[in-house]
Amino acid sequence: MEFGTRIFIAFLVSQVVCTGSQEEEEKAECVPGFQEKEYRVEYSGGFLKDIPLLQVVFDDCTGNEGVEFEVSNPDFLIDEKLNLVPRRHVIDSGDVMFVHGVNNHVDDMAQVTIMGAPSRSPQTLREILGLSDMMPYRSKRSLLVPPMFVPENQRAPFPRLIGKLQVSTTDLSGKLVEGPADLDVSVIDQNDNRPVFKEPRYSGEVQEGSPTGTTVMTMTAYDADDPNTDNAVLRYIIVRQLPDKPSPNMFYIDPERGDIVTVISPHQLDRETLPTTQYELEIVAKDMAGSEVGLTGTATATITITDRNDHAPEFTHSLFQASVNEGSTGVVVNLTVDDRDDPATGAWRAIYSIINGDPNQNFEIQTNLDNNEGMLSVVKPLDYESAMFHTLLIKVENEDPLVPDVVYGSSSTATVYITVMDVNEGPVFFPDPLVVIRRENIPVGSFVAMLNATDPDYLQTQSIRFSVLRDPADWLIVNPFKGNVTTRAILDRESPHVHNNQYTALFMATDNGSPPASGTGTLIITIEDENDNAPYIFPSVARVCEDSKDMNVVIGGRDKDIHPNTDPFKIELGKQPGLEKTWKISRINDTHSQIMLLHSLKKANYNLPLVLTDSGVPPISNNTELKVQVCTCKKNRMDCSHAGSIQTNILLLLGLVLLSILCL
């Protein structure tokens, strides 16, 4: 009875029907899924491990890519050849099992009946079908309903019949066991979208001499169709190359990845010998994995052959010649080179260097950025008498290093032969400046210095004449033939033309060349001081208020001479009798003294006679007067406009002393 129930349930399951319309059946050449739905196997006491029992027939109509199979009995599997194979030795297999096949295009099931197998007593249809383990995503139902498939882009009229479905599960008494079941309807993608490149034009570059197989760029197209079908599986090809020299197949594109790589040999990939530095490729992307029925999209790839430093610069001549006047500077010759590399790149730009013949660094070379020429310049004037000729060895290199298999050859060096032209040079003073020491006030006609000048043109016989070029105080005279300098006036250290005790004069020496040339030299006379200036007081006028209680005046001494002919100064009252009874002088320091009035004075102007003596040897004294003004002072304002006439008697002198004390 149990066996009969199992057969009946299996029969019910087998009644699950999916019927398409007659119109679609006529159009379909392939029905996805198991081509045979029921299989039989004879039971003979058990099944041995890895021994196939049968081969199922399954076709998803697209090549069976990605199909996965599951067997309701976990002791069995479907291998790569679609064979039903035991995983281990099996004795109790049951009398029925189901095989489930599924991928993105189909979801179908077949039944395998084990003829003569010992019967089991499963309690539910779920155990018979083994669906609890095999299909967890259908764990809520025991019934299996194959999905329906509808192609996209169907034509009207709508609605359209795509199939019929009847589902029922009952026991022997007719009672409904399970139902209803879900029906999955899948829309089948059609190849109705062409591949599309993101951009119509792509740019890439590859360096000349690159190894065969070097990746230049990657072309990528996109297809809006189902990516899990061949409708979106793209293949790339190069359909045209312009120009097609030296080979029409200089590049290759990986059909699947779209990587463009070089095919031409590194030797032929020479930028300097190729007919152009840019190649244009027409790239086609085709779907359906490149089959004839696939749709296509097109884009253009422009490939630039970039330069590398595979050509050393070469001088256009092995010998360059130039002439230059001695004593001059500037560019003397332009050195020209050839370089086959790309202009305005580091592989073309030249760097010049002097590798021999310039021990004193008289020359330098700068690169002309416009034409790559080397501008050889004299930066330190040349001397004809020292060297009439100069031979320089010049080397040229590139900013970028050469590739490993290229070296600088003999053509990358050149010789420059420079002739120095003689020029009449002016005489040169030695030493310059000439410094001497002389005391001021020496007699007129005294010897000051002997000028020394030589002519650099020693290969010529020339005479020299001396002359005064600048003599600010007009103190000096020079012998034009011998060069001895003497005084024509008194030297005065205190002259405004003397600075820091030094007097500067400028002389000129002129040769008799053609044309004559001259040179200048400086004479610096350090003038020693004589005590020839009398000291003087400051200030010479003092103002005090008439009502001041203490009339004191502070005065100081000054001298145009310098130490030791100046301070300390001695300041004394004049020799007039009686002054010491009215005035008193007290020394403050080496330069200043204080004058105090011993008696009060009225408002007036007073002249106080003083004697000021310096410390020179012999000392010099100066008889002078201090003018003292006694003024009216009110509210911090001093009025001296109504001071009386100057008094000369002793009483007036006494008054002056008092005013001086008040000013202090």
Side-chain angles (χ1 to χ4, degrees), residues 471-476 497-498 501-505 523-525 527:
D471 182 13
D474 199 20
W475 286 344
L476 307 174
H497 300 293
V498 176
N501 303 323
Q502 290 185 331
Y503 179 74
T504 301
L523 172 63
I524 298 177
I525 305 174
I527 301 179

Side-chain angles (χ1 to χ4, degrees), residues 582-583 597 600-601 606 647-656:
T582 306
W583 305 92
L597 182 63
S600 61
L601 293 177
Y606 301 89
Q647 304 295 321
T648 58
N649 54 28
I650 297 176
L651 294 176
L652 292 177
L653 294 176
L654 293 175
L656 289 173

Side-chain angles (χ1 to χ4, degrees), residues 53 98 630 649:
L53 305 184
F98 296 91
V630 179
N649 54 28

Side-chain angles (χ1 to χ4, degrees), residues 204-209 250-251 262 269-272 274 276-279 303-307 342:
E205 59 183 33
V206 61
Q207 192 179 61
E208 63 172 335
M250 295 175 59
F251 305 94
T262 59
L269 193 60
D270 185 358
R271 184 183 180 279
E272 288 71 38
L274 291 173
T276 180
T277 58
Q278 283 192 340
Y279 285 84
I303 299 176
T304 301
I305 313 300
T306 60
D307 189 37
D342 184 15

Side-chain angles (χ1 to χ4, degrees), residues 370-389:
D370 295 328
N371 54 24
N372 220 28
E373 292 181 355
M375 300 180 293
L376 177 63
S377 303
V378 176
V379 293
K380 293 182 181 179
L382 302 176
D383 183 16
Y384 172 84
E385 287 71 28
S386 298
M388 300 179 186
F389 307 100

Side-chain angles (χ1 to χ4, degrees), residues 7 35 40 75-77 153 174 194 210 219 283 313 321 334 359-360 377 407 432 454 514 520 536 591-592 603 623 628:
I7 296 297
Q35 304 302 302
R40 296 177 181 273
D75 293 335
F76 296 85
L77 59 84
N153 300 325
R194 293 180 177 275
S210 296
M219 303 289 291
I283 309 299
Q321 299 187 55
N334 290 320
N360 297 322
S377 303
V407 296
D432 188 26
T454 59
S514 180
T520 59
Y536 58 93
T591 58
H592 289 77
K603 180 179 179 181
N623 294 316
V628 180

Side-chain angles (χ1 to χ4, degrees), residues 104-121:
N104 292 325
H105 302 286
V106 67
D107 187 342
D108 199 11
M109 184 174 291
Q111 176 178 320
V112 179
T113 302
I114 312 300
M115 305 300 297
S119 62
R120 290 181 175 180
S121 300

Side-chain angles (χ1 to χ4, degrees), residues 561-577:
D561 294 318
I562 60 175
H563 189 79
N565 297 319
T566 56
D567 60 87
F569 298 111
K570 181 188 293 185
I571 303 177
E572 302 174 294
L573 294 174
K575 300 302 182 180
Q576 297 181 14

